[in-house]
Amino acid sequence: MEYSGLVLIAVFFVLLALNVPISFSIGVATVVTMLISIDFVPAATTIAQRLAGGINSFALLAIPFFVLSGLIMGQGGIAKRLIECAMALIGMLPGGLALVNVLSCTLFGAISGSAVAATSAIGSFMIPQMEKKGYDKNFSAALTASAATTGMLIPPSNILIIYAIASGGVSIASLFVAGYLPGILVALSLMLVCAGYAKMKGYPVEARLPFKLVLEKIIAAVPSLLLIFIVIGGIISGVFTATEAGAIAVVYSLILSVVVYREVSLPQLPKILLKSAETTAIVMLLIGASSAMSWILSYENIPQTISDTLLALSQNPFIILLIINITLLIVGAFMDMTPAVLIFTPIFLPVAEALGMSPLHFGIMIVLNLSIGLCSPPVGSVLFVSCAVAKTSIEKIIKPLIPLYIAMFIVLMLVTYIPAISEFLPGLFGLA
């Protein structure tokens, strides 16, 4: 069993080092490991079953809907209105433009459900604006990448849906509600860093807008912000499921972008639909391949072995959870969120439950961990997008990223060791 596990890990990381796409790395590593333990025909049959069974879930239908709605919103003029609203509300504070960047990324990430979309849409406008006002370009790029990850916690979030599937029973509605406080805490922590950085550098403060203009900007952003209340309100009240909420989000974003804002034309829709299909296919292949890997991990009893090893190292929950966090932070720096959640949830969730942590609490912790990985070198996807938008390099933004990273890590520790941060709102709405 130990030999099979070593083969799985070795093949997987060798393929990753050779720049083989992660879904194929997972699939090939799984096939090689299965052939060591099982004859060819049952191994091939099992892999085929797990690939198909891994994506045979009604809850996963929400993902293509939210992907499509996010793409429509990315081109629908929503980012511009959210930025203008944020500017009207907090632009006059110290470090105003940096605060606007964080708030805009948080709102857009929450609406679109995509950290990459938030980085591209908000960063393409805010980074040049901040540079014009004297902000360091590398700091602006680092800030955009960090702030965009809050959309992974604040619903609608595809990765929370994937965790619900991987955990085998956590309610999507409870996860959606649980993500709000941690997501807001991350945004606030980044804002504190921005305010201190702006004061230290002496950046200018934006002029306060007339009340009438502030009101106009808020009203203009209300239709975009309503999507959050429609989706989450409908799920919490039981009017519709998360999958149905995804379909409603598509219809609403279409009406908003095509009819109300008129930023998306009908001839643009086929291209958006094709991009949505490509993204969904990539995600589903990752889910199928990761499900096959999860099966072989379970077959070889690897999760139980790791659980026993961790619990044997220490009986102190603080130490064990710290080890899990550090492991996940390292994983997040090298692996995409979807396979990481599908592979490491069955490994670490039993350990967390043995320590008295609820699956809901653990879900928020693992997603926050891997969200930090999105903006962590060397392979953080959001980091690459932000660097491309700012026309800079990863090496140059590492230094300004450090205080932002520390702020996010502090929030991670708070979320890990204070269950109420994740469980208060679900309990309040009767979802825990």
Side-chain angles (χ1 to χ4, degrees), residues 8-209:
L8 179 71
I9 294 168
V11 173
F12 175 65
F13 281 105
V14 166
L15 291 173
L16 277 185
L18 294 173
N19 288 324
V20 176
I22 190 165
S23 54
F24 291 101
S25 299
I26 292 170
V28 172
T30 302
V31 170
V32 171
T33 307
M34 277 191 176
L35 291 176
I36 291 173
S37 307
I38 309 171
D39 291 336
F40 175 77
V41 173
T45 304
T46 300
I47 290 170
Q49 288 174 339
R50 297 309 304 173
L51 281 170
I55 59 175
N56 185 23
S57 169
F58 179 75
L60 288 178
L61 283 174
I63 291 178
F65 287 129
F66 283 126
V67 167
L68 178 55
S69 66
L71 288 172
I72 294 170
M73 292 172 197
Q75 298 186 33
I78 291 172
K80 180 176 69 176
R81 287 163 178 84
L82 291 177
I83 290 170
E84 290 176 350
C85 177
M87 185 72 76
L89 289 172
I90 60 175
M92 76 296 298
L93 299 176
L97 279 180
L99 301 182
V100 168
N101 193 334
V102 175
L103 182 57
S104 301
C105 282
T106 301
L107 292 175
F108 189 83
I111 292 171
S112 68
S114 170
V116 171
T119 304
S120 178
I122 303 299
S124 59
F125 180 84
M126 287 303 305
I127 292 174
Q129 289 296 316
M130 291 175 69
E131 193 176 1
K132 285 180 184 177
K133 295 291 185 179
Y135 284 79
D136 179 64
K137 178 172 67 174
N138 298 315
F139 170 77
S140 302
L143 177 63
T144 304
S146 303
T149 62
T150 55
M152 299 295 94
L153 286 164
I154 301 176
S157 169
N158 289 335
I159 199 63
L160 290 176
I161 296 172
I162 291 169
Y163 172 77
I165 303 297
S167 64
V170 180
S171 161
I172 295 175
S174 62
L175 283 167
F176 274 12
V177 174
Y180 273 107
L181 283 181
I184 291 170
L185 278 177
V186 172
L188 290 175
S189 70
L190 295 177
M191 286 182 172
L192 284 174
V193 174
C194 291
Y197 186 85
K199 189 173 182 180
M200 182 178 66
K201 295 288 185 177
Y203 289 138
V205 177
E206 299 298 305
R208 186 182 297 272
L209 295 177

